[in-house]
Amino acid sequence: MKDIVVIGAGAIGMASAFRLAKEGHNVTIVDPVAPGSQASSHNAGWVVPTMSEPVPAPGVLTKAMKWLWKKDSPLYISPSTDWRFYTFLLRMLQHTSSKHYAAGTETLIQLSKETFSTFDEFVDEGVDVDLDFATMRTLFKDTSGMDARLDELAHFAENFPGLSYRRMDDAELRAFQPKLSEDVQGGIESRGDAHLDPAKFTAALHKACQEAGVEFVASRAWLRDRGSGKARVIVDGSFIDPDYVVVAAGAWTGEVVKQLGQNISLQTGKGYGFDFPVEQGWLTDTLYMTDAKVVATPMGDHVRVAGTMGFSGIDESLNQVRAGGILKGVQSFFPDWPVNEFDLEPWQGMRPMTPDGLPHIGALQKFPNVVVATGHAMQGISLAPRTAQLVAGVIAGETMPDWMGKIHPERFTWLG
């Protein structure tokens, strides 16, 4: 049995803590905020192996340049005085090549192949996971985008046997949703992915962790070098010398490991969303409105719409104009949806982003008792149980797959 401190009580941190506790370790989670209260509960709740694609994609720069000057665009970049921010953006630009994108996709496919089997393991261990394998519909105003997505799905179908998909013709689209904008030119109907309510999922993880004996400490953790290549944790002035530290602090992970003099390439991408009450005749299906970069997820008595990606550093403020861009995006697909009749406040969540769109999972070279697990972008919920499996494997000293080197948290440090 090992003593393990997990820094971060989001989906990744709690999933890792739960798995480690079930393997017999003594686990403590440290986080100054309530478990699951930040980005882990403020997201679309999609569990989508068939969207295992890096954020830096070919053509994204062209789209970004069109959007940058719009205050309510799906993508925005705020100026920064930190040179590392621009180094990050340059590295991200380099990874928009077709070669990098294809290689990143293959790595994410390997990472995602056990998505549902690891969720099943959590269910078997008592985590109340309520996955909904509903039909997903992806809507397009640009048919070239639809053709590209069909090609991607054909490749994903070779790796995910449960995936099925088909093109929807115009008559099917109008029958499915008569109030759809005339600008929508095509759609794809697919099955094989799932969604859940992330707030309920993180609450279930919290409960399961407590039942497994995980201790929660509502405080901030500090890391210090205690010598011999090991890190010490300081909590409320007390020193803890655990066997391992798992840093799964989401967008704050880079700041945590910096306390040891270590750097990982990580920036924050802020997303927004609204929760609408279910209204007869309106959005009650799982949708991806591609051109607006907005998704809709049914969650019982409400429908969640989410989108935008803002690179602005760690900033928890709400920008009403940016959030309002989501509503404009929905109305561009559903012009008659009375989005402005609801007096709703948006929520925001900060996604940890990496330059190549791949997560950071692995032990630091100088401090091998520090295991980093972050950088999942919009797939933190989707990959939480799988990441927990890998974190436990690293701590157990298991032989890890070769592709793990491609998601090592210090891979950009090696490049200089």
Side-chain angles (χ1 to χ4, degrees):
M1 181 179 73
K2 298 180 176 68
D3 290 326
I4 301 172
V5 172
V6 176
I7 300 176
I12 301 295
M14 287 195 290
S16 298
F18 175 72
R19 178 124 193 172
L20 291 165
K22 296 301 287 187
E23 292 187 1
H25 301 299
N26 180 32
V27 184
T28 300
I29 292 181
V30 183
D31 198 317
V33 301
S37 61
Q38 296 189 315
S40 291
S41 58
H42 294 112
N43 59 75
W46 284 21
V47 181
V48 281
T50 66
M51 288 189 173
S52 301
E53 305 142 319
V55 171
V60 73
L61 179 62
T62 303
K63 292 180 180 178
M65 294 306 294
K66 294 178 181 177
W67 286 334
L68 283 182
W69 309 114
K70 294 181 62 179
K71 293 183 179 180
D72 57 0
S73 64
L75 173 67
Y76 62 97
I77 300 174
S78 297
S80 174
T81 58
D82 187 348
W83 64 269
R84 290 171 301 180
F85 178 71
Y86 297 101
T87 300
F88 176 93
L89 293 179
L90 179 59
R91 284 173 170 166
M92 179 171 274
L93 173 61
Q94 293 170 337
H95 282 88
T96 60
S97 70
S98 297
K99 178 181 177 180
H100 280 109
Y101 181 75
T105 298
E106 292 308 309
T107 300
L108 286 174
I109 285 175
Q110 295 303 316
L111 180 60
S112 301
K113 279 186 174 180
E114 295 183 43
T115 294
F116 291 121
S117 64
T118 49
F119 266 98
D120 288 342
E121 289 174 8
F122 272 38
V123 172
D124 292 342
E125 293 284 1
V127 183
D128 185 12
V129 178
D130 187 15
L131 284 177
D132 186 345
F133 288 87
T135 298
M136 179 186 296
R137 294 178 178 87
T138 306
L139 307 178
F140 299 86
K141 295 180 182 178
D142 181 355
T143 55
S144 65
M146 181 170 64
D147 292 337
R149 179 57 181 162
L150 286 167
D151 289 341
E152 290 174 346
L153 286 170
H155 180 58
F156 285 127
E158 297 173 359
N159 293 279
F160 302 105
L163 171 64
S164 64
Y165 63 94
R166 66 184 187 86
R167 182 192 296 260
M168 300 174 70
D169 60 29
D170 190 68
E172 287 180 303
L173 280 173
R174 306 304 155 182
F176 155 65
Q177 184 50 268
K179 298 176 181 179
L180 200 59
S181 167
E182 293 181 358
D183 293 335
V184 178
Q185 301 297 310
I188 299 172
E189 184 179 274
S190 62
R191 293 190 65 85
D193 289 319
H195 67 263
L196 49 71
D197 183 327
K200 290 182 179 179
F201 175 57
T202 53
L205 279 176
H206 183 205
K207 179 182 177 183
C209 282
Q210 290 178 310
E211 292 173 347
V214 175
E215 180 184 358
F216 285 79
V217 177
S219 187
R220 185 175 180 183
W222 302 84
L223 296 184
R224 294 292 184 267
D225 183 352
R226 76 175 196 246
S228 302
K230 291 189 176 183
R232 158 176 289 162
V233 183
I234 305 174
V235 180
D236 295 331
S238 298
F239 292 88
I240 305 172
D241 291 332
D243 296 301
Y244 282 91
V245 181
V246 177
V247 186
W252 287 266
T253 302
E255 299 301 312
V256 175
V257 299
K258 193 187 299 182
Q259 296 166 4
L260 292 169
Q262 306 302 294
N263 290 303
I264 60 173
S265 192
L266 193 74
Q267 289 292 333
T268 302
K270 185 189 292 186
Y272 285 96
F274 293 85
D275 292 337
F276 286 88
V278 172
E279 293 287 316
Q280 187 65 34
W282 289 107
L283 303 185
T284 56
D285 298 274
T286 308
L287 300 175
Y288 178 27
M289 293 158 266
T290 56
D291 305 77
K293 303 299 181 185
V294 174
V295 302
T297 313
M299 296 184 182
D301 62 354
H302 65 278
V303 175
R304 174 164 290 187
V305 293
T308 78
M309 176 58 66
F311 290 94
S312 56
I314 295 179
D315 176 7
E316 296 183 85
S317 65
L318 282 169
N319 186 314
Q320 296 288 343
V321 175
R322 293 293 183 193
I326 295 174
L327 305 183
K328 288 185 178 180
V330 173
Q331 286 186 310
S332 72
F333 279 78
F334 298 90
D336 297 328
W337 194 33
V339 294
N340 296 318
E341 292 185 8
F342 302 94
D343 184 20
L344 299 175
E345 281 295 312
W347 46 258
Q348 63 84 21
M350 292 185 291
R351 289 77 172 96
M353 310 291 293
T354 65
D356 56 6
L358 305 179
H360 290 322
I361 305 173
L364 298 179
Q365 285 193 319
K366 188 175 179 180
F367 296 92
N369 79 320
V370 176
V371 180
V372 172
T374 190
H376 295 75
M378 288 82 74
Q379 296 234 6
I381 292 293
S382 188
L383 290 171
R386 174 60 164 141
T387 299
Q389 181 186 56
L390 295 174
V391 166
V394 170
I395 288 175
E398 297 176 2
T399 300
M400 306 305 288
D402 291 341
W403 52 261
M404 281 284 288
K406 298 177 181 178
I407 61 173
H408 192 279
E410 294 172 301
R411 60 189 179 278
F412 294 102
T413 304
W414 301 335
L415 297 174

